[in-house]
């Protein structure tokens, strides 16, 4: 690998390959975690309205900027439009609130979190809105077609609120449809990717369209164990014998092996840790060299097990 970034279509912006994910960082430690991550060397941060900690992430960034550790232009900030704001009248207000929460004038990349237009929830009533409206326990879809939502995303670019736009959790069919009407092609597709779920056919086609891939959940089920039995159905990748064997071979951690596997496929990675030593380990992956036999051993783990699946949580077969 000769570069530590990918170059995004249209703008030519450089998106760092090694990012820092903000999901499941508790508010009381979040600002300090982000500040420490910047000191470690991270410059790419991946957040979302749904994570519920954008204000705190912004505070950590502000502290680092105020201390002169980084400038705003050194950072690549990513966040996401939540499902309840897909209606064309709600996209811009949602983005503007998020900019205020982060304390920023613009995002580097703004993503549609899921291709699921949920019924609108007034932020004054519940924020982040999560998946259900009011006291309901069922998914409620509203009539907010993606072509109208995407047109508003494009206006965000034209008005300088975000330099780039993209999507998360879209399959090939959803992307093909989008490419028939998009005036601004998605710069990035963010999806679940790890040796259990390599999604090779999808990623090959997406990359052929000039769209870059961000891999989330690089450690497989690790982030989902606390969310119920679904996350316990598979052996933890970080403890898998094949992964641990390669970690021993290269004298690195299991996590570093999994991140290197993704980087070898030119995927951007966004691991998260609140532990400073693990932050450093997750960042220190550029010099690891996996050989052909190493990659074959990891590829052999393919089982197509998906852990971030609305079918499990809400009986919604998004990826069927």
């Amino acid at each position: 690998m000769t570069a530590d970034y990918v170059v995004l279509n249209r703008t030519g912006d450089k998106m760092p390959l090694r990012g820092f994910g903000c999901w499941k960082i508790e508010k009381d430690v979040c600002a300090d975690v982000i500040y420490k991550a910047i000191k470690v060397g991270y410059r790419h941060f991946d957040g979302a309205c749904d994570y519920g900690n954008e204000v705190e992430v912004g505070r950590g960034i502000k502290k680092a900027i105020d201390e002169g550790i980084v400038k705003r232009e050194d950072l690549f900030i990513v966040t996401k439009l939540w499902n309840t704001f897909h209606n064309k009248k709600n996209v811009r207000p949602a983005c503007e609130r998020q900019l205020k929460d982060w304390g920023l004038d613009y995002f580097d990349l703004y993503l549609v979190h899921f291709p699921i237009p949920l019924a609108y929830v007034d932020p004054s009533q519940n924020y982040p809105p999560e998946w259900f409206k009011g006291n309901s326990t069922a998914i409620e879809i509203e009539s907010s077609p993606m072509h109208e939502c995407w047109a508003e995303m494009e206006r965000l670019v034209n008005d300088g609120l975000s330099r780039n736009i993209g999507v998360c959790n879209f399959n090939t069919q959803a992307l093909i449809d989008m490419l028939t009407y998009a005036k601004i092609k998605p710069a990035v597709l963010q999806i679940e990717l790890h040796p259990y779920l390599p999604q090779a056919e999808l990623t090959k086609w997406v990359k052929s369209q000039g769209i870059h891939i961000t891999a989330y959940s690089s450690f497989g089920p690790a982030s989902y164990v606390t969310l119920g039995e679904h996350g316990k159905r598979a052996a933890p990748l970080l403890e898998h014998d094949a992964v641990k064997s390669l970690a021993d071979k290269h004298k690195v951690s299991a996590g570093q092996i999994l991140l290197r596997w993704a980087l070898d496929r030119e995927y951007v990675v966004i691991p998260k840790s609140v532990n400073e030593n693990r932050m450093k380990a997750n960042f220190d992956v550029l010099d690891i060299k996996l050989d052909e036999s190493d990659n074959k051993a990891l590829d052999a783990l393919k089982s197509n097990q998906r852990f971030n699946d609305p079918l499990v949580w809400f009986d919604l077969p998004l990826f069927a």
Side-chain angles (χ1 to χ4, degrees), residues 45-180:
F45 291 87
D46 182 272
C49 160
D50 191 50
Y51 300 167
N53 58 10
E54 290 188 294
V55 170
E56 291 74 20
V57 173
R59 288 174 182 163
I61 289 172
K62 184 178 186 301
K63 181 179 179 181
I65 291 175
D66 287 348
E67 292 185 8
I69 299 172
V70 290
K71 299 177 181 178
R72 168 63 183 95
E73 54 268 30
D74 298 329
L75 302 174
F76 193 96
I77 305 299
V78 184
T79 193
K80 308 174 187 77
L81 176 77
W82 184 238
N83 305 336
T84 53
F85 304 124
H86 279 205
N87 189 276
K88 59 185 179 182
K89 68 183 180 182
N90 296 324
V91 173
R92 187 183 186 102
C95 182
E96 289 176 338
R97 170 167 181 152
Q98 290 175 272
L99 284 169
K100 182 178 179 181
D101 285 349
W102 283 78
L104 300 175
D105 296 323
Y106 67 93
F107 294 122
D108 294 279
L109 177 63
Y110 195 55
L111 305 172
V112 177
H113 205 150
F114 283 92
I116 307 172
L118 295 182
Y120 175 71
V121 174
D122 189 327
S124 68
Q125 301 300 314
N126 192 33
Y127 194 86
E130 301 180 340
W131 287 85
F132 305 124
K133 185 173 184 177
N135 296 321
S136 176
T137 57
I139 293 290
E140 183 180 344
I141 304 297
E142 72 173 16
S143 181
S144 296
M146 183 52 63
H147 72 88
E148 292 184 355
C149 177
W150 191 251
E152 293 303 314
M153 295 284 287
E154 292 172 332
R155 288 189 179 92
L156 298 179
V157 171
N158 294 334
D159 292 343
L161 278 69
S162 187
R163 288 191 51 78
N164 302 276
I165 49 177
V167 295
C168 303
N169 302 303
F170 277 49
N171 61 16
T172 303
Q173 183 177 355
L175 278 169
I176 288 174
D177 181 61
M178 174 171 281
L179 293 176
T180 65

